[in-house]
Amino acid sequence: ACAPATPNPPPQTPHFPAPRIPQNNPQSPEKADLGRHLFYDRRLSGNGTQACASCHLQARAFTDGHAQAVGSTGQQHPRSAMALANVAYASALTWANPVLTDLEAQALVPMFGEHPVELGLSGREDELLQRLRSDPRYPDLFSRAFPTENPAISVRTITHALASFQRTLISQHAPYDRFVYDGQDDALSASAQRGMALFFSERLECFHCHGGFLFSDSVVHADSTFDETNFHNNGLYNIHNSGAYPAGNQGLFDITGQDRDRGRFRAPSLRNIAVTAPYMHDGSLATLEDVLDHYARGGRLISAGPYAGDGALHPGKSLFVRGFPLSPDEKIDVIQFLNSLTDDEFLHDARHASPFPVPEESAPRTAR
């Protein structure tokens, strides 16, 4: 059943530091509630076929389960949709763009971006605003969320409400949390505990890029003294052993143009990783077993085809991706530990679900 349209409280983070909230968009239950409506509303796409939630499903930690996302016009994207769980703490908001750092600005990209088309609203701003103003619910929701704004319904207030809702998506009640923070010794199986020891060992090196409370090394919060943002080449490609990655999908290189940035992407949080397959920026590894095999080898070997090459030999590969021995039983243990990062309470929390009686019912489907 869908949740009633009740206000969403500000983030509560007993196990985490408080998230950083921008001064120009202070958090409020009214903004988060409005943002939840907008997040699930298909009128935020030009042709009325998709909402933000179409590529960010709660049951998948707000990703979509596809190797590469597909926009409202059917255009396939070069990268997979990133999970939104704990996005309030992400110091960079895409796979490889170091300058896109706040949720308010990021919301403009899927709404109005054209390369690739996501929600397809470019040039249709007035139409979007009219759609929302003509709905009987939205004038009141906007006026409650932004009582001093005139007009209350604007692109700015839309993006600020979406950001406020996303900042409530805090996942921190996995079995791992109960074991580490709450002292529940039986929260992790013996296998998961062995896997945790391996994960944090110097043999596997996982924790260097996936450490801290978020299991990521690109994190910011209210107490941060600096914004920690890192990008890594993990040896996923090395086309013809030339150092190349697939054209148009070369990570930080596509922003900087510097060879040293070829293949460097942000290490995502591993929280809820078991429900966010497939993996890597392009979804090219299907399972957690595949991911462990990749890192155990020290890079991926592609034997044939246009991307043939040995990622383990990439000259720009991270020093932490060295390869390691891993027995079949140890592999099972590590995967059990990764499974312990799944927060079922978060994945089924009614406060994060659609406020509409039927998901995304609020706009009729139209032909692409």
CSV table of all heavy atoms in Angstrom, one decimal, residues 42-95:
chain,number,residue,atom,x,y,z
A,42,ARG,N,4.6,11.9,-12.9
A,42,ARG,CA,5.1,11.8,-14.3
A,42,ARG,C,5.0,13.1,-15.1
A,42,ARG,O,5.5,13.2,-16.2
A,42,ARG,CB,4.3,10.7,-15.1
A,42,ARG,CG,4.6,9.3,-14.6
A,42,ARG,CD,4.2,8.2,-15.6
A,42,ARG,NE,3.0,8.5,-16.3
A,42,ARG,CZ,1.8,8.0,-15.9
A,42,ARG,NH1,1.7,7.3,-14.7
A,42,ARG,NH2,0.7,8.3,-16.6
A,43,ARG,N,4.3,14.1,-14.5
A,43,ARG,CA,4.3,15.4,-15.2
A,43,ARG,C,5.6,16.1,-15.2
A,43,ARG,O,5.8,17.1,-15.9
A,43,ARG,CB,3.2,16.3,-14.6
A,43,ARG,CG,1.8,16.0,-15.1
A,43,ARG,CD,0.8,16.7,-14.4
A,43,ARG,NE,0.6,16.2,-13.0
A,43,ARG,CZ,-0.4,16.5,-12.2
A,43,ARG,NH1,-1.4,17.2,-12.6
A,43,ARG,NH2,-0.4,16.0,-11.0
A,44,LEU,N,6.6,15.5,-14.5
A,44,LEU,CA,7.9,16.1,-14.6
A,44,LEU,C,8.7,15.5,-15.8
A,44,LEU,O,9.9,15.6,-15.8
A,44,LEU,CB,8.7,15.8,-13.3
A,44,LEU,CG,8.7,17.1,-12.3
A,44,LEU,CD1,7.3,17.3,-11.8
A,44,LEU,CD2,9.7,16.9,-11.2
A,45,SER,N,8.0,14.8,-16.7
A,45,SER,CA,8.6,14.5,-18.0
A,45,SER,C,7.9,15.2,-19.1
A,45,SER,O,6.6,15.4,-19.0
A,45,SER,CB,8.7,13.0,-18.2
A,45,SER,OG,7.4,12.4,-18.2
A,46,GLY,N,8.5,15.5,-20.2
A,46,GLY,CA,7.9,16.2,-21.2
A,46,GLY,C,6.7,15.5,-21.8
A,46,GLY,O,5.6,16.1,-22.1
A,47,ASN,N,6.8,14.2,-22.0
A,47,ASN,CA,5.7,13.4,-22.6
A,47,ASN,C,4.9,12.7,-21.6
A,47,ASN,O,4.0,11.9,-22.0
A,47,ASN,CB,6.3,12.4,-23.7
A,47,ASN,CG,7.3,11.5,-23.1
A,47,ASN,OD1,7.4,11.3,-21.8
A,47,ASN,ND2,8.0,10.8,-23.9
A,48,GLY,N,5.1,12.9,-20.3
A,48,GLY,CA,4.2,12.3,-19.3
A,48,GLY,C,4.4,10.9,-19.1
A,48,GLY,O,3.5,10.2,-18.5
A,49,THR,N,5.5,10.3,-19.5
A,49,THR,CA,5.7,8.8,-19.4
A,49,THR,C,6.6,8.4,-18.2
A,49,THR,O,6.6,7.3,-17.8
A,49,THR,CB,6.3,8.3,-20.7
A,49,THR,OG1,7.6,8.8,-20.9
A,49,THR,CG2,5.5,8.5,-21.9
A,50,GLN,N,7.4,9.4,-17.7
A,50,GLN,CA,8.3,9.0,-16.6
A,50,GLN,C,8.3,10.1,-15.5
A,50,GLN,O,8.0,11.2,-15.7
A,50,GLN,CB,9.7,8.9,-17.1
A,50,GLN,CG,10.0,7.7,-17.9
A,50,GLN,CD,11.5,7.5,-18.2
A,50,GLN,OE1,12.3,8.3,-17.9
A,50,GLN,NE2,11.9,6.3,-18.7
A,51,ALA,N,8.6,9.6,-14.3
A,51,ALA,CA,8.9,10.4,-13.1
A,51,ALA,C,10.3,10.2,-12.7
A,51,ALA,O,11.0,9.3,-13.2
A,51,ALA,CB,7.9,10.1,-12.0
A,52,CYS,N,10.8,11.0,-11.8
A,52,CYS,CA,12.1,10.7,-11.2
A,52,CYS,C,12.2,9.3,-10.7
A,52,CYS,O,13.2,8.5,-10.9
A,52,CYS,CB,12.4,11.6,-10.0
A,52,CYS,SG,12.3,13.4,-10.4
A,53,ALA,N,11.0,8.8,-10.1
A,53,ALA,CA,11.0,7.5,-9.5
A,53,ALA,C,11.1,6.4,-10.6
A,53,ALA,O,11.3,5.2,-10.2
A,53,ALA,CB,9.7,7.3,-8.7
A,54,SER,N,10.9,6.7,-11.8
A,54,SER,CA,10.9,5.7,-12.9
A,54,SER,C,12.3,5.1,-13.0
A,54,SER,O,12.5,3.9,-13.3
A,54,SER,CB,10.5,6.2,-14.2
A,54,SER,OG,9.2,6.7,-14.2
A,55,CYS,N,13.4,5.9,-12.7
A,55,CYS,CA,14.7,5.4,-12.7
A,55,CYS,C,15.3,5.2,-11.3
A,55,CYS,O,16.5,4.9,-11.2
A,55,CYS,CB,15.6,6.3,-13.5
A,55,CYS,SG,15.3,6.4,-15.3
A,56,HIS,N,14.5,5.5,-10.3
A,56,HIS,CA,15.0,5.4,-8.9
A,56,HIS,C,13.9,4.7,-8.1
A,56,HIS,O,13.1,5.4,-7.5
A,56,HIS,CB,15.3,6.8,-8.4
A,56,HIS,CG,16.5,7.5,-9.2
A,56,HIS,ND1,17.8,7.1,-9.0
A,56,HIS,CD2,16.4,8.5,-10.1
A,56,HIS,CE1,18.5,7.9,-9.8
A,56,HIS,NE2,17.7,8.7,-10.5
A,57,LEU,N,14.0,3.4,-8.1
A,57,LEU,CA,12.9,2.6,-7.4
A,57,LEU,C,13.3,2.3,-6.0
A,57,LEU,O,14.5,1.9,-5.7
A,57,LEU,CB,12.8,1.3,-8.1
A,57,LEU,CG,12.5,1.4,-9.7
A,57,LEU,CD1,12.5,0.0,-10.3
A,57,LEU,CD2,11.2,2.1,-10.0
A,58,GLN,N,12.4,2.6,-5.1
A,58,GLN,CA,12.7,2.4,-3.6
A,58,GLN,C,13.2,1.0,-3.3
A,58,GLN,O,14.2,0.9,-2.6
A,58,GLN,CB,11.5,2.7,-2.8
A,58,GLN,CG,11.7,2.6,-1.3
A,58,GLN,CD,10.5,3.0,-0.4
A,58,GLN,OE1,9.4,3.2,-1.0
A,58,GLN,NE2,10.7,3.0,0.9
A,59,ALA,N,12.6,0.0,-3.9
A,59,ALA,CA,13.0,-1.4,-3.5
A,59,ALA,C,14.4,-1.7,-4.0
A,59,ALA,O,15.0,-2.7,-3.5
A,59,ALA,CB,12.0,-2.4,-4.2
A,60,ARG,N,15.0,-0.9,-4.9
A,60,ARG,CA,16.3,-1.1,-5.3
A,60,ARG,C,17.2,0.0,-4.8
A,60,ARG,O,18.2,0.4,-5.5
A,60,ARG,CB,16.4,-1.1,-6.9
A,60,ARG,CG,15.7,-2.3,-7.5
A,60,ARG,CD,15.8,-2.4,-9.0
A,60,ARG,NE,15.2,-3.6,-9.6
A,60,ARG,CZ,15.8,-4.7,-9.7
A,60,ARG,NH1,17.1,-4.9,-9.4
A,60,ARG,NH2,15.2,-5.8,-10.3
A,61,ALA,N,16.9,0.6,-3.7
A,61,ALA,CA,17.7,1.7,-3.1
A,61,ALA,C,17.7,2.9,-4.0
A,61,ALA,O,18.7,3.6,-4.0
A,61,ALA,CB,19.1,1.2,-2.7
A,62,PHE,N,16.6,3.1,-4.7
A,62,PHE,CA,16.4,4.2,-5.6
A,62,PHE,C,17.4,4.2,-6.8
A,62,PHE,O,18.0,5.2,-7.2
A,62,PHE,CB,16.5,5.5,-4.8
A,62,PHE,CG,15.3,5.7,-3.9
A,62,PHE,CD1,15.4,5.3,-2.6
A,62,PHE,CD2,14.1,6.2,-4.4
A,62,PHE,CE1,14.3,5.4,-1.7
A,62,PHE,CE2,13.0,6.3,-3.5
A,62,PHE,CZ,13.1,5.9,-2.2
A,63,THR,N,17.7,3.0,-7.3
A,63,THR,CA,18.2,2.8,-8.6
A,63,THR,C,17.2,2.0,-9.4
A,63,THR,O,16.1,1.8,-9.0
A,63,THR,CB,19.6,2.2,-8.6
A,63,THR,OG1,20.2,2.1,-9.9
A,63,THR,CG2,19.6,0.8,-8.0
A,64,ASP,N,17.6,1.5,-10.7
A,64,ASP,CA,16.5,1.0,-11.5
A,64,ASP,C,16.7,-0.5,-11.9
A,64,ASP,O,15.9,-1.0,-12.6
A,64,ASP,CB,16.2,1.8,-12.7
A,64,ASP,CG,17.4,1.9,-13.7
A,64,ASP,OD1,18.4,1.3,-13.4
A,64,ASP,OD2,17.2,2.7,-14.7
A,65,GLY,N,17.9,-1.1,-11.6
A,65,GLY,CA,18.1,-2.4,-12.0
A,65,GLY,C,18.5,-2.7,-13.4
A,65,GLY,O,18.7,-3.8,-13.9
A,66,HIS,N,18.7,-1.6,-14.2
A,66,HIS,CA,19.2,-1.7,-15.6
A,66,HIS,C,20.6,-1.4,-15.7
A,66,HIS,O,21.2,-0.6,-14.9
A,66,HIS,CB,18.4,-0.7,-16.5
A,66,HIS,CG,16.9,-1.0,-16.5
A,66,HIS,ND1,16.4,-2.2,-17.0
A,66,HIS,CD2,15.9,-0.2,-16.2
A,66,HIS,CE1,15.1,-2.1,-16.9
A,66,HIS,NE2,14.7,-1.0,-16.4
A,67,ALA,N,21.3,-2.0,-16.7
A,67,ALA,CA,22.7,-1.7,-16.9
A,67,ALA,C,22.9,-0.3,-17.3
A,67,ALA,O,23.8,0.4,-16.8
A,67,ALA,CB,23.3,-2.6,-18.0
A,68,GLN,N,22.0,0.2,-18.1
A,68,GLN,CA,22.1,1.6,-18.5
A,68,GLN,C,20.6,2.2,-18.5
A,68,GLN,O,19.7,1.5,-19.0
A,68,GLN,CB,22.7,1.8,-19.9
A,68,GLN,CG,24.1,1.3,-20.0
A,68,GLN,CD,24.6,1.1,-21.4
A,68,GLN,OE1,24.7,0.0,-21.9
A,68,GLN,NE2,25.0,2.2,-22.0
A,69,ALA,N,20.5,3.4,-18.0
A,69,ALA,CA,19.2,3.9,-17.8
A,69,ALA,C,18.6,4.3,-19.2
A,69,ALA,O,19.3,4.5,-20.2
A,69,ALA,CB,19.3,5.2,-17.0
A,70,VAL,N,17.3,4.3,-19.2
A,70,VAL,CA,16.5,4.7,-20.5
A,70,VAL,C,15.6,5.9,-20.1
A,70,VAL,O,14.9,5.9,-19.2
A,70,VAL,CB,15.7,3.5,-21.0
A,70,VAL,CG1,14.9,3.9,-22.2
A,70,VAL,CG2,16.6,2.3,-21.3
A,71,GLY,N,15.7,7.0,-20.9
A,71,GLY,CA,15.0,8.2,-20.7
A,71,GLY,C,13.6,8.1,-21.2
A,71,GLY,O,13.1,7.1,-21.8
A,72,SER,N,12.9,9.2,-21.0
A,72,SER,CA,11.4,9.3,-21.3
A,72,SER,C,11.1,9.1,-22.8
A,72,SER,O,10.0,8.7,-23.1
A,72,SER,CB,10.8,10.6,-20.7
A,72,SER,OG,11.4,11.7,-21.4
A,73,THR,N,12.1,9.4,-23.6
A,73,THR,CA,11.9,9.3,-25.1
A,73,THR,C,12.4,8.0,-25.6
A,73,THR,O,12.4,7.8,-26.8
A,73,THR,CB,12.6,10.5,-25.8
A,73,THR,OG1,14.0,10.4,-25.6
A,73,THR,CG2,12.0,11.8,-25.4
A,74,GLY,N,12.9,7.1,-24.7
A,74,GLY,CA,13.4,5.8,-25.1
A,74,GLY,C,14.9,5.8,-25.4
A,74,GLY,O,15.5,4.8,-25.8
A,75,GLN,N,15.6,7.0,-25.2
A,75,GLN,CA,17.0,7.0,-25.4
A,75,GLN,C,17.8,6.3,-24.3
A,75,GLN,O,17.6,6.6,-23.2
A,75,GLN,CB,17.5,8.5,-25.5
A,75,GLN,CG,18.9,8.7,-25.9
A,75,GLN,CD,19.3,10.2,-26.0
A,75,GLN,OE1,18.4,11.0,-25.9
A,75,GLN,NE2,20.6,10.4,-26.3
A,76,GLN,N,18.7,5.4,-24.7
A,76,GLN,CA,19.5,4.7,-23.7
A,76,GLN,C,20.7,5.6,-23.3
A,76,GLN,O,21.3,6.2,-24.2
A,76,GLN,CB,20.0,3.4,-24.3
A,76,GLN,CG,20.7,2.5,-23.2
A,76,GLN,CD,21.1,1.2,-23.8
A,76,GLN,OE1,21.9,1.1,-24.8
A,76,GLN,NE2,20.7,0.1,-23.1
A,77,HIS,N,20.9,5.6,-22.0
A,77,HIS,CA,22.0,6.4,-21.5
A,77,HIS,C,23.3,5.6,-21.5
A,77,HIS,O,23.3,4.4,-21.4
A,77,HIS,CB,21.7,6.9,-20.1
A,77,HIS,CG,20.4,7.7,-20.1
A,77,HIS,ND1,20.1,8.5,-18.9
A,77,HIS,CD2,19.5,8.0,-21.0
A,77,HIS,CE1,19.0,9.1,-19.2
A,77,HIS,NE2,18.6,8.9,-20.4
A,78,PRO,N,24.5,6.3,-21.5
A,78,PRO,CA,25.7,5.5,-21.4
A,78,PRO,C,26.0,5.0,-20.0
A,78,PRO,O,26.9,4.1,-19.9
A,78,PRO,CB,26.8,6.6,-21.8
A,78,PRO,CG,26.1,7.9,-21.4
A,78,PRO,CD,24.7,7.7,-21.7
A,79,ARG,N,25.3,5.4,-19.0
A,79,ARG,CA,25.6,5.0,-17.6
A,79,ARG,C,24.4,4.6,-16.9
A,79,ARG,O,23.3,4.9,-17.3
A,79,ARG,CB,26.3,6.1,-16.9
A,79,ARG,CG,27.7,6.5,-17.5
A,79,ARG,CD,28.3,7.7,-16.8
A,79,ARG,NE,29.5,8.1,-17.6
A,79,ARG,CZ,30.2,9.2,-17.4
A,79,ARG,NH1,29.8,10.1,-16.5
A,79,ARG,NH2,31.3,9.5,-18.1
A,80,SER,N,24.6,3.9,-15.8
A,80,SER,CA,23.5,3.4,-15.0
A,80,SER,C,23.0,4.5,-14.0
A,80,SER,O,23.8,5.4,-13.7
A,80,SER,CB,23.9,2.1,-14.2
A,80,SER,OG,24.9,2.4,-13.3
A,81,ALA,N,21.8,4.4,-13.6
A,81,ALA,CA,21.2,5.3,-12.7
A,81,ALA,C,21.8,5.0,-11.3
A,81,ALA,O,21.8,3.9,-10.8
A,81,ALA,CB,19.7,5.2,-12.6
A,82,MET,N,22.4,6.1,-10.7
A,82,MET,CA,23.0,5.9,-9.4
A,82,MET,C,21.9,5.8,-8.3
A,82,MET,O,20.8,6.4,-8.4
A,82,MET,CB,23.9,7.1,-9.0
A,82,MET,CG,25.1,7.2,-10.0
A,82,MET,SD,26.4,8.2,-9.4
A,82,MET,CE,27.3,7.0,-8.4
A,83,ALA,N,22.2,5.0,-7.2
A,83,ALA,CA,21.3,4.9,-6.1
A,83,ALA,C,21.2,6.2,-5.3
A,83,ALA,O,22.2,7.0,-5.3
A,83,ALA,CB,21.8,3.8,-5.2
A,84,LEU,N,20.1,6.5,-4.8
A,84,LEU,CA,19.9,7.7,-4.1
A,84,LEU,C,19.9,7.5,-2.5
A,84,LEU,O,19.7,8.5,-1.8
A,84,LEU,CB,18.5,8.4,-4.5
A,84,LEU,CG,18.4,8.8,-5.9
A,84,LEU,CD1,17.1,9.5,-6.2
A,84,LEU,CD2,19.6,9.7,-6.3
A,85,ALA,N,20.0,6.3,-2.1
A,85,ALA,CA,20.1,6.1,-0.6
A,85,ALA,C,21.3,6.9,-0.1
A,85,ALA,O,22.4,6.8,-0.6
A,85,ALA,CB,20.3,4.6,-0.3
A,86,ASN,N,21.1,7.7,0.9
A,86,ASN,CA,22.1,8.5,1.6
A,86,ASN,C,22.7,9.5,0.6
A,86,ASN,O,23.9,10.0,0.9
A,86,ASN,CB,23.2,7.7,2.2
A,86,ASN,CG,22.6,6.8,3.3
A,86,ASN,OD1,21.8,7.2,4.1
A,86,ASN,ND2,23.0,5.5,3.3
A,87,VAL,N,22.0,9.9,-0.4
A,87,VAL,CA,22.6,10.9,-1.4
A,87,VAL,C,22.8,12.3,-0.7
A,87,VAL,O,23.6,13.1,-1.2
A,87,VAL,CB,21.6,11.1,-2.6
A,87,VAL,CG1,20.3,11.8,-2.2
A,87,VAL,CG2,22.3,11.8,-3.7
A,88,ALA,N,22.2,12.5,0.5
A,88,ALA,CA,22.5,13.8,1.2
A,88,ALA,C,24.0,13.9,1.6
A,88,ALA,O,24.5,15.0,1.8
A,88,ALA,CB,21.6,13.8,2.5
A,89,TYR,N,24.7,12.8,1.6
A,89,TYR,CA,26.1,12.8,2.0
A,89,TYR,C,27.1,12.7,0.9
A,89,TYR,O,28.3,12.7,1.1
A,89,TYR,CB,26.4,11.6,3.0
A,89,TYR,CG,25.6,11.6,4.3
A,89,TYR,CD1,24.5,10.9,4.5
A,89,TYR,CD2,26.1,12.5,5.3
A,89,TYR,CE1,23.8,10.9,5.7
A,89,TYR,CE2,25.4,12.5,6.5
A,89,TYR,CZ,24.3,11.8,6.7
A,89,TYR,OH,23.6,11.8,7.9
A,90,ALA,N,26.6,12.6,-0.3
A,90,ALA,CA,27.5,12.5,-1.5
A,90,ALA,C,28.1,13.8,-1.8
A,90,ALA,O,27.4,14.8,-2.0
A,90,ALA,CB,26.7,11.9,-2.7
A,91,SER,N,29.4,13.9,-1.9
A,91,SER,CA,30.1,15.1,-2.2
A,91,SER,C,30.1,15.4,-3.7
A,91,SER,O,30.4,16.6,-4.1
A,91,SER,CB,31.5,15.1,-1.7
A,91,SER,OG,32.3,14.0,-2.2
A,92,ALA,N,29.9,14.5,-4.5
A,92,ALA,CA,29.7,14.6,-6.0
A,92,ALA,C,28.5,13.7,-6.4
A,92,ALA,O,28.3,12.7,-5.8
A,92,ALA,CB,30.9,14.3,-6.8
A,93,LEU,N,27.7,14.2,-7.3
A,93,LEU,CA,26.4,13.6,-7.5
A,93,LEU,C,26.2,12.8,-8.8
A,93,LEU,O,25.1,12.3,-9.0
A,93,LEU,CB,25.3,14.7,-7.4
A,93,LEU,CG,25.2,15.3,-6.1
A,93,LEU,CD1,24.3,16.6,-6.1
A,93,LEU,CD2,24.7,14.4,-5.0
A,94,THR,N,27.3,12.6,-9.5
A,94,THR,CA,27.2,11.7,-10.7
A,94,THR,C,28.4,10.8,-10.7
A,94,THR,O,29.2,10.9,-9.8
A,94,THR,CB,27.2,12.5,-12.0
A,94,THR,OG1,28.4,13.2,-12.2
A,94,THR,CG2,26.1,13.6,-12.0
A,95,TRP,N,28.5,10.0,-11.7
A,95,TRP,CA,29.6,9.0,-11.7
A,95,TRP,C,31.0,9.7,-11.9
A,95,TRP,O,32.0,9.2,-11.4
A,95,TRP,CB,29.4,8.1,-12.9
A,95,TRP,CG,28.4,7.0,-12.6
A,95,TRP,CD1,27.1,6.9,-13.1
A,95,TRP,CD2,28.6,5.8,-11.8
A,95,TRP,NE1,26.5,5.7,-12.6
A,95,TRP,CE2,27.4,5.1,-11.9
A,95,TRP,CE3,29.7,5.3,-11.1
A,95,TRP,CZ2,27.3,3.8,-11.2
A,95,TRP,CZ3,29.6,4.1,-10.4
A,95,TRP,CH2,28.4,3.4,-10.5
